[in-house]
Amino acid sequence: LILVDEQDNVIGNCSKKDGHLRSVLDQPNATPHRAFSVFLFNEKHELLLQRRSSHKITFPNMWTNTCCSHPLYNDDELATGPIPFQGIKTAAIRRMGYELNLSNFEESEMNMVQKILYKANTDQTWAEYELDYILFAKKPADQIIFKANENEISHTEFVDRENILDFLESEVNTGKSQITPWFNMILQTKLFEWWDHLNKTGEVPAEDTSGNIID
């Protein structure tokens, strides 16, 4: 994984295990690692959600956005050009292929709309401390033909803006599932503003080339 400071400057790397151990992240000098969260919409502006599988070490069985993972510490996924946030988008495309068998994406089809910084514990052993890039994309439904990797995803659901809260509240209130902390943070802050822009203009929000971070 790519270790960064809280201003997103690269300071090193670590294993995936060390990047998620509470014994490491609870230390005073702990630093975040880079991550990304993809929000994929169809032409009806429905968002594809996934429920993480029971096999996941962090936040298993929880609902979240379309795809969430990490860029790797290599030249391709550290890259900063020729398009903005090249490495992050390359990593997102790799992971979309792995989790959903979606391989028909180009980096230019994704907009990086915000960075968020968050820290959350899964249990007594595992946690997250991430500088998360939020990526928006939109495709016609006939180009979102996917097959979920059962090791990563247990369920998927397309939801629209009007019904997402009812859907998630039903899942939580009936004890079926919870919501990942990063998805909940985005849901509680900027998601509906971005979704309104999509509904009004038909386009995903413009890229935030300034790379602002919210926490």
Side-chain angles (χ1 to χ4, degrees):
L1 304 183
I2 303 169
L3 290 176
V4 293
D5 61 21
E6 292 190 349
Q7 289 73 48
D8 197 26
N9 299 300
V10 177
I11 58 175
N13 64 86
C14 70
S15 68
K16 186 175 180 180
K17 178 181 178 181
D18 284 348
H20 294 90
L21 278 172
R22 280 195 64 179
S23 59
V24 174
L25 297 181
D26 284 344
Q27 298 301 312
N29 61 346
T31 58
H33 55 264
R34 279 184 181 165
F36 58 81
S37 292
V38 178
F39 287 70
L40 175 61
F41 297 83
N42 62 22
E43 79 278 9
K44 295 188 290 186
H45 304 162
E46 295 169 326
L47 172 62
L48 178 59
L49 300 181
Q50 64 154 285
R51 192 167 84 180
R52 293 160 67 85
S53 81
S54 60
H55 306 295
K56 302 291 284 185
I57 290 175
T58 56
F59 307 102
N61 300 310
M62 293 191 183
W63 282 103
T64 196
N65 48 282
T66 311
C67 181
C68 325
S69 192
H70 315 92
L72 303 178
Y73 191 83
N74 60 42
D75 289 344
D76 286 342
E77 298 185 12
L78 283 164
T80 57
I83 67 172
F85 314 107
Q86 175 83 40
I88 299 294
K89 296 173 182 178
T90 297
I93 290 172
R94 167 180 58 78
R95 194 67 187 185
M96 293 277 278
Y98 178 72
E99 292 194 9
L100 293 159
N101 288 286
L102 275 172
S103 57
N104 59 335
F105 272 86
E106 300 291 335
E107 287 89 345
S108 59
E109 294 180 287
M110 295 185 176
N111 279 7
M112 202 294 289
V113 300
Q114 186 76 73
K115 299 179 190 179
I116 64 170
L117 179 67
Y118 76 94
K119 192 173 186 178
N121 297 326
T122 298
D123 51 33
Q124 293 301 310
T125 303
W126 303 106
E128 292 277 15
Y129 187 18
E130 293 189 335
L131 198 298
D132 193 12
Y133 288 67
I134 312 305
L135 303 172
F136 268 45
K138 175 186 169 184
K139 274 187 176 290
D142 63 3
Q143 295 182 34
I144 310 177
I145 307 300
F146 63 90
K147 181 180 179 181
N149 181 338
E150 293 181 357
N151 289 323
E152 299 291 327
I153 299 171
S154 61
H155 296 282
T156 58
E157 189 82 21
F158 275 102
V159 295
D160 60 26
R161 188 198 187 284
E162 288 70 29
N163 294 308
I164 185 172
L165 291 180
D166 288 342
F167 171 76
L168 293 173
E169 286 174 3
S170 175
E171 291 290 296
V172 171
N173 292 339
T174 59
K176 294 178 182 177
S177 183
Q178 298 292 316
I179 305 169
T180 62
W182 62 89
F183 180 46
N184 191 48
M185 180 178 180
I186 298 163
L187 187 69
Q188 299 294 331
T189 54
K190 299 291 288 292
L191 180 58
F192 289 112
E193 176 185 328
W194 293 323
W195 213 328
D196 286 341
H197 174 90
L198 177 61
N199 284 337
K200 181 178 180 180
T201 68
E203 303 293 335
V204 298
E207 196 148 70
D208 180 13
T209 54
S210 65
N212 290 326
I213 301 169
I214 60 174
D215 55 19

